Amino acid sequence: MSYSAWIILTGCLVGVTCGVTGALLVLRKMAMLADAISHTVLLGIVGAFLVTHSLNGIPMLIGAAIVGVLTAVMVQALDSSGVQSDAAIGVVFTSLFALGVVLISFIGDNVHLDVQHALMGEIAFIPWDTLTINGVDLGPTAVWMLGGVLLLNISIILLLYKEIKISTFDPQLALSIGVPVVFIHYLLMTMVSFSTVASFDSVGAILVVAMLIVPGSSAYLLTDKFGMMLILSGVIGALSALVGYGGAVLFDVSISGAIASATGVLFTLCFMLSPKHGMIAKWFRRKKMQQSV
């Protein structure tokens, strides 16, 4: 595959992986928790390196999953003790992220990990970091990591589809019929953590936040069906990557920045043109009601 094709494939994988997972967060009104986890997993990455002295994908995923679940547990604990939910997210987010930033200083300058790299990422470098087994170049490591996480997330959603759906829309009913609501909640946090750390090296935390929240929010405006929303969210994430890369090439700007901007453009289009929730549709309905009075 060509250099551009690998970048586009990586961007699409980030869009689909984060988009599908993010749609669940949007439905559960937990979008800002995605912002927190996408930053606090830096602590998990640094912690995994300090333990293993390796930036290998598996230790990073484990470290990210642990810190992602820890973030959710701490937020829930503060919320249950009377702290407002948004304040709880802010306290945990800033504390754990700051701790990760501090620990980076102990790693040294010779390791490919720093705050700017974690926040911004650089998708243009993805084709050069390849996975080689027995002398065979299998393509960019990020593609394999993202593909594996996407497959894992989809498998979990398909396996627990009914349980995830009912616990999302009616957790009290789910509890009454024996659905493990708490387990599903923390399983979702683990999925978010995996998706985040798999995307970190490709695009950085800022674009991860955009991909976790905006495609799901856009899909929410287009459909009222649970399964269709998950599909549309993944499609919008991939489409954002395609449109963003095209814009980056056309205007010679940051690829990650252009992709994040594309998510905003697509959300604006959905916000205006949605057949049920769109501003134009609402305007026509108001005009029709005024004329019938």
Side-chain angles (χ1 to χ4, degrees):
M1 291 178 66
S2 67
Y3 172 84
S4 297
W6 282 122
I7 294 177
I8 292 172
L9 177 59
T10 302
C12 289
L13 284 173
V14 171
V16 176
T17 303
C18 294
V20 172
T21 310
L24 296 173
L25 295 176
V26 171
L27 286 172
R28 288 168 172 255
K29 297 181 173 63
M30 297 166 57
M32 292 314 299
L33 189 57
D35 186 9
I37 290 177
S38 65
H39 285 77
T40 58
V41 291
L42 176 64
L43 176 61
I45 294 173
V46 176
F49 176 81
L50 291 175
V51 172
T52 65
H53 300 287
S54 170
L55 288 177
N56 185 282
I58 301 302
M60 285 199 305
L61 286 175
I62 295 173
I66 292 173
V67 174
V69 172
L70 176 63
T71 301
V73 170
M74 292 176 68
V75 169
Q76 184 65 38
L78 290 175
D79 191 25
S80 301
S81 64
V83 179
Q84 291 183 342
S85 58
D86 56 344
I89 291 173
V91 170
V92 175
F93 159 36
T94 52
S95 301
L96 295 185
F97 180 63
L99 180 58
V101 172
V102 170
L103 289 179
I104 284 182
S105 63
F106 293 102
I107 292 179
D109 298 329
N110 58 337
V111 178
H112 181 54
L113 180 63
D114 53 49
V115 177
Q116 183 177 1
H117 167 258
L119 286 176
M120 302 302 296
E122 185 44 78
I123 197 171
F125 295 157
I126 290 303
W128 309 118
D129 182 14
T130 59
L131 177 65
T132 304
I133 299 179
N134 294 327
V136 179
D137 188 343
L138 299 177
T141 304
V143 171
W144 287 97
M145 185 179 291
L146 284 163
V149 171
L150 175 60
L151 183 61
L152 175 64
N153 287 353
I154 291 177
S155 298
I156 291 173
I157 291 173
L158 291 177
L159 184 64
L160 300 173
Y161 182 82
K162 292 182 180 179
E163 289 81 0
I164 292 174
K165 183 176 180 180
I166 191 171
S167 64
T168 296
F169 292 106
D170 196 338
Q172 296 302 320
L173 175 61
L175 278 172
S176 68
I177 62 176
V179 174
V181 175
V182 175
F183 170 76
I184 290 176
H185 172 73
Y186 289 117
L187 180 63
L188 176 58
M189 295 304 101
T190 303
M191 291 166 59
V192 173
S193 302
F194 280 0
S195 301
T196 300
V197 75
S199 306
F200 242 63
D201 194 46
S202 307
V203 297
I206 293 176
L207 181 53
V208 170
V209 174
M211 285 296 196
L212 279 171
I213 298 175
V214 185
S217 301
S218 302
Y220 184 82
L221 295 172
L222 298 177
T223 182
D224 294 328
K225 296 182 178 179
F226 180 71
M228 182 57 65
M229 180 176 170
L230 298 183
I231 295 172
L232 283 176
S233 186
V235 170
I236 292 171
L239 185 59
S240 299
L242 292 171
V243 173
Y245 181 77
V249 172
L250 181 62
F251 298 107
D252 191 22
V253 295
S254 164
I255 298 174
S256 295
I259 294 175
S261 299
T263 63
V265 171
L266 292 178
F267 174 80
T268 302
L269 290 174
C270 293
F271 183 70
M272 297 299 296
L273 303 176
S274 170
K276 183 175 181 180
H277 303 288
M279 294 297 293
I280 294 177
K282 289 180 179 179
W283 183 81
F284 275 114
R285 284 198 294 269
R286 282 199 302 266
K287 292 289 290 184
K288 188 175 181 180
M289 289 178 62
Q290 290 173 358
Q291 290 174 359
S292 62
V293 173

